[in-house]
Amino acid sequence: EIVMTQSPATLSVSPGERATLSCRASQSVSSNLAWYQQKPGQAPRLLIYGASIRATGIPARFSGSGSGTEFTLTISILQSEDFAVYYCQQYNNWPPWTFGQGTKVEIK
Amino acid sequence: QVTLRESGPALVKPTQTLTLTCTFSGFSLSSTGMCVSWVRQPPGKALEWLALIDWDDDKYYSTSLKTRLTISKDTSKNQVVLTMTNMDPVDTATYYCVRGVIPLFDYWGQGTLVTVSS
């Protein structure tokens, strides 16, 4: 089973600043990596798939990069609606599909 | 427009069997590549994949929960059903139904909170 590790657990950022979130896989997942955003009381929403492809309707301020075992989600200019928990997920070696533990982006 | 809605009991007792139904619209589970998964999330914790069924009726289960889970589909009703036996308080979680084009998950239901308590 591939273990996904996200860092940091919590990221404190001011609106308008850049946020950089990391995700590491215990073995290569190629580019089969997705990012989800989850706001309080809501279901997760697909942001990025294929490590760098924005899902339909996702603003350009969200970008993903990486391949193999190291991945990054960058939010270029944080808006108030971006404060949420972000999860990475690998879909290269399945089953199982595995998620990271999440990074909470909070207002500084 | 793809929508998924989970339904089932909000409260179950320890040792009971949980049955959850996912009713969906906007896609057909008989189309090649389509799949529906169940993912759960204990309060304040991370997401955990449980089971998946695809268009060809192939089924996949979490290794740690495999003996307790059964997933099935009724394509004519646009429904997927998950049963989990021998429920325990640690199974308290929000259970999500998720559409995918295998192996990627894209649309999530709103989730249903299941509490296990006597």
Side-chain angles (χ1 to χ4, degrees):
Chain A
E1 171 176 327
I2 295 179
V3 176
M4 307 301 293
T5 303
Q6 293 186 241
S7 61
T10 303
L11 187 62
S12 298
V13 187
S14 299
E17 292 186 339
R18 173 189 294 255
T20 302
L21 291 67
S22 296
C23 174
R24 174 177 292 178
S26 60
Q27 63 189 78
S28 177
V29 298
S30 186
S31 293
N32 295 312
L33 189 284
W35 290 95
Y36 300 89
Q37 176 194 63
Q38 187 178 33
K39 297 180 182 179
Q42 296 186 17
R45 175 176 71 148
L46 177 65
L47 290 179
I48 300 282
Y49 64 95
S52 63
I53 304 169
R54 281 190 300 278
T56 302
I58 301 304
R61 64 181 182 272
F62 291 92
S63 63
S65 63
S67 66
T69 61
E70 301 283 343
F71 300 89
T72 300
L73 174 69
T74 301
I75 312 171
S76 59
I77 303 173
L78 266 165
Q79 310 281 327
S80 57
E81 62 265 32
D82 301 335
F83 292 97
V85 179
Y86 294 82
Y87 292 95
C88 63
Q89 180 215 24
Q90 69 84 20
Y91 54 95
N92 190 66
N93 288 32
W94 50 270
W97 285 258
T98 50
F99 295 89
Q101 293 301 108
T103 291
K104 180 180 181 180
V105 177
E106 65 175 21
I107 300 175
K108 186 174 182 180
Chain B
Q1 179 189 3
V2 173
T3 64
L4 306 102
R5 186 182 74 252
E6 305 86 352
S7 58
L11 179 66
V12 298
K13 290 180 167 47
T15 75
Q16 286 187 335
T17 294
L18 171 68
T19 298
L20 294 173
T21 300
C22 173
T23 303
F24 57 86
S25 63
F27 68 98
S28 172
L29 195 44
S30 60
S31 297
T32 301
M34 290 295 171
C35 64
V36 171
S37 265
W38 287 92
V39 175
R40 72 178 178 180
Q41 184 174 39
K45 296 188 177 181
L47 302 164
E48 178 186 18
W49 173 77
L50 301 177
L52 180 147
I53 189 166
D54 70 14
W55 82 99
D56 206 23
D57 210 35
D58 292 321
K59 301 164 187 175
Y60 304 91
Y61 297 101
S62 161
T63 303
S64 60
L65 295 168
K66 184 172 186 174
T67 60
R68 299 173 53 204
L69 295 173
T70 303
I71 192 169
S72 62
K73 65 182 173 76
D74 185 332
T75 304
S76 65
K77 292 183 178 179
N78 281 354
Q79 290 183 332
V80 171
V81 174
L82 180 76
T83 62
M84 180 180 290
T85 61
N86 194 25
M87 293 292 284
D88 183 271
V90 299
D91 296 314
T92 293
T94 296
Y95 287 76
Y96 294 101
C97 170
V98 189
R99 200 261 328 233
V101 181
I102 204 166
L104 173 66
F105 302 165
D106 53 6
Y107 289 93
W108 295 62
Q110 64 187 14
T112 186
L113 176 61
V114 178
T115 300
V116 185
S117 174
S118 55

